[in-house]
Amino acid sequence: MTTATPSAPVPAAPTNKLGFTKQDYVGSKSTLCAGCGHDSITAQIINAAFESSIEGHRVTKYSGIGCSSKTPAYFINQGWGFNSVHGRMPSIATGASLANRTLINIGVSGDGDSMSIGMGQFVHAVRRNIPMIYIIEDNGVYGLTKGQFSATADKGSHLKSGAVNDFPPIDPCTLAIELGCGFVARSFSGNPKQLNAILKAAFAYQGTVVLDVISPCVTFNNHDASTRSYKHVKDHDFPLHDLGFIQYSEVEEVEIPAGQTEIVTFPDGSKVAIKAIHEGYEPTDRFGAMKAIHESMAKGEFLTGLLYINPTQPPLPEVLNLVDEPLATLGEDLLKPSPAELDKIMQALM
């Protein structure tokens, strides 16, 4: 008779500072095509939220219409979600962020949702500096309607049918910088290390973050003649720098290397360490950033990394001088003051 060997105990899953495991930041199972770049982006949102110890119940997730707009269901199941009509996601995010300034807002959109029908909404969200991470999952086609060119498709790119795009692309990053956005980045869904660092910095930023992620469509835009295929983007990805993000609570414990590493400090004390790869690139130079992006586009390159950063711009709730207490939790006595109280307020302002 043999005695069964006791099995080794299963090691406990790692937890973050809040005591959560990475599984606590996962959502429902993806229904996107196998190999879709959007799922790679979802994975890094989960990783960044876990590593940043984000409180999931404070997260609000917004989307419009398109393949990209399905992805908020796939991460942070503790959060709140709102799927708006096509291109109107920024309006919903604006209202929610003003009603409750303690929310952590994540908007996930696509190149069609934001650069075509929703461009007007995108423009005004950026110029108002809504506190939101605005992720554009950019594949250059309308995947949900069988692969027509989108507004970000490169001129001269081919569809699988052989059709050629004759129109110049709209670039979300240069548009965002022109509108005054203080955190503009581009990444590639096939570069998880870079994307993770950008997302962790984005969680700490107070204002609008525009993150354009080149995310190849494996079904309609991953062929040899496409400029948004995995192979083409990987071959033409030109990272500007190595990024490191240090949370405010870890700044004193982490030794930041001297020399060629530039440090950008956020209002809460968090820091982004930027080690230049592209000689002479200055991410705090707004016009220099736009020039570098245009030059790379002319060469057929995808310039990736933290393209422009200005952490001093006040977000919309501060511009409007909102009270610290979220409007959503204020009592009716404060939201609807009596005529006598209104007189006192008016006299105090005079």
Side-chain angles (χ1 to χ4, degrees), residues 139 188 214 216-217 221-235 302:
N139 54 27
F188 169 41
I214 307 301
C217 174
N221 208 18
N222 199 35
H223 49 280
D224 291 342
S226 169
T227 60
R228 297 295 171 101
S229 66
Y230 269 106
K231 183 180 186 307
H232 185 92
V233 177
K234 187 174 182 179
D235 291 345
F302 293 98

Side-chain angles (χ1 to χ4, degrees), residues 2-3 22 63 122 140 145 181 208 217 224 252 296 310 321-322:
T2 59
T3 303
K22 189 182 294 185
S63 61
F122 172 83
T145 55
C181 186
T208 302
C217 174
D224 291 342
E252 294 182 1
S296 71
N310 176 11
N321 199 27
L322 296 184

Side-chain angles (χ1 to χ4, degrees), residues 149-170:
F149 287 122
S150 80
T152 65
D154 299 303
K155 187 174 182 179
S157 184
H158 292 67
L159 293 179
K160 291 177 72 173
S161 65
V164 180
N165 180 37
D166 296 321
F167 302 105
I170 296 173

Side-chain angles (χ1 to χ4, degrees), residues 180-204:
C181 186
F183 189 122
V184 181
R186 176 176 283 125
S187 192
F188 169 41
S189 62
N191 189 342
K193 181 180 177 181
Q194 181 193 62
L195 182 55
N196 178 267
I198 292 172
L199 284 166
K200 286 195 287 188
F203 274 120

Side-chain angles (χ1 to χ4, degrees), residues 83-275:
N83 181 228
S84 73
V85 295
H86 206 2
R88 271 55 177 184
M89 175 267 287
S91 291
I92 306 300
T94 301
S97 65
L98 292 179
N100 189 345
R101 62 187 302 175
T102 68
L103 296 174
I104 301 169
N105 302 294
I106 304 176
V108 182
S109 186
D111 36 310
D113 195 51
S114 285
M115 293 295 104
S116 291
I117 192 171
M119 176 173 280
Q121 298 259 325
F122 172 83
V123 165
H124 292 292
V126 172
R127 63 183 286 268
R128 290 172 179 150
N129 202 20
I130 298 166
M132 173 174 60
I133 303 173
Y134 196 125
I135 300 171
I136 302 173
E137 298 184 329
D138 189 348
N139 54 27
V141 294
Y142 298 121
L144 204 60
T145 55
K146 311 305 180 187
Q148 302 89 343
F149 287 122
S150 80
T152 65
D154 299 303
K155 187 174 182 179
S157 184
H158 292 67
L159 293 179
K160 291 177 72 173
S161 65
V164 180
N165 180 37
D166 296 321
F167 302 105
I170 296 173
D171 178 49
C173 293
T174 51
L175 178 58
I177 296 172
E178 178 66 29
L179 293 167
C181 186
F183 189 122
V184 181
R186 176 176 283 125
S187 192
F188 169 41
S189 62
N191 189 342
K193 181 180 177 181
Q194 181 193 62
L195 182 55
N196 178 267
I198 292 172
L199 284 166
K200 286 195 287 188
F203 274 120
Y205 186 76
Q206 299 176 12
T208 302
V209 171
V210 171
L211 172 52
D212 181 46
V213 187
I214 307 301
S215 179
C217 174
V218 293
T219 301
F220 296 110
N221 208 18
N222 199 35
H223 49 280
D224 291 342
S226 169
T227 60
R228 297 295 171 101
S229 66
Y230 269 106
K231 183 180 186 307
H232 185 92
V233 177
K234 187 174 182 179
D235 291 345
H236 295 80
D237 180 11
F238 193 82
L240 283 169
H241 35 235
D242 287 330
L243 288 177
F245 176 71
I246 307 138
Q247 286 181 285
Y248 69 93
S249 59
E250 301 173 342
V251 169
E252 294 182 1
E253 302 173 11
V254 177
E255 182 179 346
I256 301 172
Q260 298 301 313
T261 301
E262 180 176 355
I263 305 299
V264 177
T265 304
F266 289 176
D268 71 348
S270 300
K271 297 178 184 291
V272 179
I274 304 170
K275 184 177 180 181

Side-chain angles (χ1 to χ4, degrees), residues 18-35:
L18 298 176
F20 294 131
T21 67
K22 189 182 294 185
Q23 190 62 33
D24 292 317
Y25 293 90
V26 174
S28 59
K29 185 177 180 180
S30 173
T31 60
L32 296 171
C33 302

